[in-house]
Amino acid sequence: MLNLQPYENPMYFVYLLIGLVPVIIGMFHGRRHRIYESIFSLFFLVLIFDADKWPQGKALILYIAYNTLLVWLYAKYRTKENSSNKTWVFYMAVILGIAPLTVVKFTPLFSTHPSLLGFLGISYLTFKVVGMIMELRDGAIKEVNFVRFLQFLLFFPTISSGPIDRYRRFLKDYDSAPTPEKYTELFSKAIHYLMLGFLYKFILGYLFGTLLYPHYEHLALLAHGNFLGLSWPLVGVMYSYSMYLFFDFAGYSLFAVAISYLMGVETPMNFNKPFISYNIKDFWNRWHMSLSFWFRDYIYMRFVFFMMKHKWVKSRVVTAAIGYFVLFGIMGIWHGETWYYIVYGLFHALLINLTDAWIRFKKKHKDSLPSNKFTYALSVFLTFNTVCFSFLIFSGFLDKLWFH
């Protein structure tokens, strides 16, 4: 068998498009062949976790069995009377839901070997599971169809790196086939996103990630010691890495969305022109949107509500500020346990708090502050460069430059 990682190998797209032919034909006739789609998805999961990735495949099987049992038990518990009064059961379900990911993320601190529980996509499956548990608690999800639950978790176009879908939104698409007219629209968008994805990932991503970034990295290392390494090559590292990060991930996300559309599922978009953001809050409404909205809905909003309910802090401004530091601190740790990921997260928390303070200041002085095309362009320019600097932190290159 071939070991093919999602959207990385040209042969992956060849097999993918061949396998999609019956799905596409069925969709154009208003029919969804779920049995074929399930077999088709299973085949591509085998391709992903075949050969040397088989230990990850076994970890995935164990993970699915564990979380299916967890969600089933919690869904059954929610049907009991007065179950909503026992919040400790909810907290325990969430803790158990994130436990495998926590073990995987923190294993490198104690061992040179990766965790046996780890596999490609564990973070995104965990976000789906924990989101479902929280929506079961809220009553937004009344019952769980466990065949659909497995299809939701193992939906192969998005399994490795998202975008992160929501169970109810996914079922709305998956439980029926789009009309031929609607599918024609989805098919057209899918082809457009595939072409754009190839431009982003394989041309622009290659230009910035394979050609420019190593070049500037080499020059910056040679210039090390020149004013603490603050040199023009370091600026080149910052911009080339930022562009590579965007085009590579946005390209991947476009592929995932395109294949989802071909399967009649309108997976949410992940990026919306993030580099034209006029402040850092606008940026997070455009960058990796499915992740940022997940963290907003399931961590930030709930933590802030918890603080307000228990009256930890009287000031709403201070409550929001603490919430941002908790939110982005967790996001930084999720990326990795190294200092630069954590600093990256806290840096964005600081930026958002400063943005909130600036917005409050502008409201009080709106008559005395200019607001025109020039100030808007300036805000976009400043936001873009601030974000690129944060990506320089995120890249870990400063760790290599200054501490090794």
Side-chain angles (χ1 to χ4, degrees):
M1 294 293 290
L2 293 171
N3 183 282
L4 298 176
Q5 294 307 293
Y7 314 120
E8 295 290 341
N9 189 311
M11 286 305 299
Y12 182 88
F13 289 92
V14 173
Y15 292 133
L16 191 59
L17 294 176
I18 292 173
L20 280 171
V21 169
V23 177
I24 294 170
I25 293 173
M27 288 293 173
F28 272 120
H29 288 84
R31 294 194 298 270
R32 180 182 291 281
H33 303 300
R34 292 191 180 86
I35 295 177
Y36 175 80
E37 288 182 29
S38 298
I39 296 172
F40 173 62
S41 296
L42 181 61
F43 173 76
F44 275 88
L45 288 175
V46 171
L47 287 183
I48 294 172
F49 295 106
D50 184 36
D52 62 326
K53 294 291 193 300
W54 175 232
Q56 290 191 37
K58 291 188 288 186
L60 171 63
I61 294 171
L62 179 63
Y63 178 91
I64 293 298
Y66 169 82
N67 278 287
T68 299
L69 178 62
L70 174 64
V71 172
W72 178 78
L73 289 173
Y74 188 68
K76 188 174 182 180
Y77 165 76
R78 288 292 302 166
T79 63
K80 295 182 178 180
E81 295 183 3
N82 300 320
S83 61
S84 59
N85 295 328
K86 298 180 180 179
T87 56
W88 68 269
V89 178
F90 164 69
Y91 291 136
M92 182 59 66
V94 171
I95 290 171
L96 291 174
I98 65 175
L101 178 60
T102 303
V103 171
V104 170
K105 288 293 184 181
F106 285 96
T107 293
L109 290 176
F110 308 100
S111 173
T112 56
H113 300 287
S115 171
L116 296 177
L117 299 178
F119 60 88
L120 182 69
I122 185 173
S123 291
Y124 296 92
L125 265 62
T126 299
F127 294 146
K128 288 182 175 182
V129 169
V130 173
M132 285 189 65
I133 291 172
M134 291 186 174
E135 292 193 357
L136 279 166
R137 162 71 186 281
D138 296 342
I141 297 176
K142 303 297 183 183
E143 60 181 0
V144 179
N145 180 312
F146 283 93
V147 173
R148 294 289 184 269
F149 171 73
L150 292 175
Q151 290 166 330
F152 169 63
L153 283 189
L154 297 175
F155 187 60
F156 86 92
T158 63
I159 192 170
S160 60
S161 296
I164 306 167
D165 210 344
R166 309 286 175 98
Y167 179 73
R168 289 179 295 153
R169 202 223 61 77
F170 175 82
L171 254 58
K172 184 179 178 182
D173 288 349
Y174 200 79
D175 276 346
S176 61
T179 64
E181 294 77 17
K182 176 65 176 177
Y183 187 70
T184 299
E185 179 186 342
L186 292 178
F187 184 85
S188 177
K189 289 182 178 179
I191 299 303
H192 172 71
Y193 291 151
L194 279 174
M195 295 301 101
L196 191 60
F198 274 102
L199 171 65
Y200 277 16
K201 186 170 179 64
F202 295 117
I203 298 178
L204 296 176
Y206 176 82
L207 171 65
F208 287 107
T210 304
L211 299 181
L212 294 179
Y213 177 73
H215 171 71
Y216 286 117
E217 183 183 42
H218 175 70
L219 293 179
L221 289 173
L222 289 178
H224 179 56
N226 178 18
F227 194 57
L228 298 178
L230 299 178
S231 57
W232 283 112
L234 185 60
V235 175
V237 169
M238 181 179 78
Y239 288 125
S240 60
Y241 179 80
S242 298
M243 294 301 100
Y244 163 71
L245 187 65
F246 169 68
F247 286 118
D248 183 74
F249 196 16
Y252 170 94
S253 296
L254 285 168
F255 290 144
V257 170
I259 302 306
S260 299
Y261 279 20
L262 291 177
M263 297 180 70
V265 175
E266 292 189 73
T267 292
M269 295 293 289
N270 239 357
F271 295 90
N272 180 25
K273 303 176 182 177
F275 292 138
I276 64 169
S277 305
Y278 58 86
N279 63 37
I280 204 66
K281 296 187 78 169
D282 186 38
F283 171 79
W284 280 107
N285 285 326
R286 296 171 177 270
W287 176 270
H288 203 345
M289 295 183 293
S290 66
L291 177 70
S292 63
F293 294 164
W294 192 96
F295 271 82
R296 178 198 66 192
D297 296 343
Y298 296 122
I299 296 180
Y300 175 78
M301 296 298 295
R302 292 169 188 270
F303 179 74
V304 166
F305 176 77
F306 182 85
M307 288 182 64
M308 293 174 62
K309 180 180 178 181
H310 292 83
K311 300 179 180 179
W312 284 6
V313 181
K314 292 182 179 180
S315 170
R316 289 180 177 269
V317 172
V318 175
T319 299
I322 295 172
Y324 285 132
F325 275 104
V326 170
L327 169 66
F328 283 97
I330 292 174
M331 188 180 290
I333 294 171
W334 168 69
H335 279 103
E337 72 285 350
T338 51
W339 70 266
Y340 43 85
Y341 290 135
I342 298 172
V343 170
Y344 165 81
L346 296 179
F347 179 65
H348 273 274
L350 176 63
L351 291 176
I352 285 193
N353 281 307
L354 290 174
T355 299
D356 274 350
W358 172 245
I359 291 172
R360 291 192 299 271
F361 179 82
K362 284 206 307 182
K363 286 182 178 178
K364 291 181 180 179
H365 303 84
K366 59 182 179 181
D367 295 332
S368 59
L369 292 174
S371 180
N372 50 49
K373 291 182 179 180
F374 173 78
T375 58
Y376 181 84
L378 179 61
S379 66
V380 171
F381 175 79
L382 293 175
T383 301
F384 170 74
N385 284 278
T386 303
V387 166
C388 287
F389 176 71
S390 76
F391 287 154
L392 177 63
I393 297 172
F394 180 86
S395 71
F397 181 72
L398 295 179
D399 182 71
K400 182 191 300 186
L401 186 67
W402 292 344
F403 301 113
H404 295 282

